[in-house]
Amino acid sequence: MMLPLQIHLTLPPWIEEVADTSRRYLTDEERVGLAIELSRRNIQHGSGGPFGAAVFDEHGRLIAAAANRVVPQTCSVAHAEMLAYMAAQQRLASYRLNEKGGHYTLATSAQPCCQCYGATVWAGIDTLLIGARAEDVETLTEFDEGPLPADWIGELEKRGIAVRRDILRSEARDVLATYGATGESY
């Protein structure tokens, strides 16, 4: 038996209906709003968990959009933030998004778990925008967000990453509550 030499992950085709690359997302609310809509559509379509994320450049242009795909892709790292980073890095041909200059923002429907937090340290973003908090995720769903440093925001800020949270928190919580009510978990 040969080991696979290629790893193939896909995003659901409906993402193109939601992620508008022709417009500019200028405010924190517009950016997190897109991430929340991605999370909402993901559970409506049954294409993954209740999480969405998107990467934007300093002009508000959408670089990449993603939704959680852990179960459909049988891949524990296929979180929305991870896939958004991968898609943006592929599109920009850079493993560190801001390596060649520019300012990049990740907007996410919910606070990154320990895995996505770790990736955020090295992904090359300058700003992290968050909808729901980790305690919202754990209270409204069956998800375990894992351990984070006590001062996780301070640790990101030490590395030049500004953090703004509670952006459209109520809307993000609504999606989590809808998902949590289904009783699904993984």
Side-chain angles (χ1 to χ4, degrees):
M1 179 176 174
M2 302 224 6
L3 293 173
L5 299 179
Q6 187 176 55
I7 299 166
H8 185 75
L9 298 172
T10 61
L11 294 169
W14 59 259
I15 285 203
E16 291 182 344
E17 299 166 13
V18 178
D20 185 353
T21 57
S22 68
R23 71 170 276 206
R24 302 259 175 122
Y25 297 81
L26 300 177
T27 67
D28 291 355
E29 291 76 17
E30 289 175 311
R31 293 172 185 187
V32 173
L34 173 60
I36 293 168
E37 184 59 23
L38 291 164
S39 70
R40 180 179 293 113
R41 295 280 184 103
N42 209 35
I43 61 173
Q44 286 173 350
H45 287 276
S47 48
F51 304 100
V55 174
F56 302 90
D57 71 9
E58 68 268 23
H59 305 293
R61 284 188 291 254
L62 178 62
I63 304 300
N68 177 287
R69 301 282 288 158
V70 170
V71 172
Q73 298 289 291
T74 59
C75 180
S76 64
V77 300
H79 290 198
E81 297 93 337
M82 301 294 281
L83 294 173
Y85 287 146
M86 288 182 220
Q89 291 163 345
Q90 184 176 11
R91 182 170 179 197
L92 298 178
S94 177
Y95 64 88
R96 188 161 177 86
L97 296 172
N98 58 8
E99 149 181 72
K100 298 173 188 160
H103 183 105
Y104 293 91
T105 297
L106 177 78
T108 183
S109 63
Q111 179 180 316
C113 69
C114 61
Q115 170 185 258
C116 298
Y117 173 83
T120 296
V121 170
W122 294 293
I125 64 161
D126 304 282
T127 303
L128 173 61
L129 305 176
I130 301 168
R133 292 184 178 210
E135 55 263 33
D136 299 331
V137 174
E138 291 183 343
T139 300
L140 298 168
T141 71
E142 299 278 324
F143 293 106
D144 174 359
E145 295 299 275
L148 290 176
D151 183 20
W152 64 272
I153 292 174
E155 290 296 329
L156 291 176
E157 289 175 343
K158 276 192 227 172
R159 290 163 173 81
I161 301 168
V163 177
R164 294 194 288 278
R165 61 185 184 158
D166 298 336
I167 301 162
L168 303 176
R169 183 178 180 189
S170 177
E171 291 88 336
R173 284 178 51 87
D174 289 346
V175 174
L176 293 169
T178 298
Y179 182 85
T182 67
E184 294 182 48
S185 67
Y186 58 87

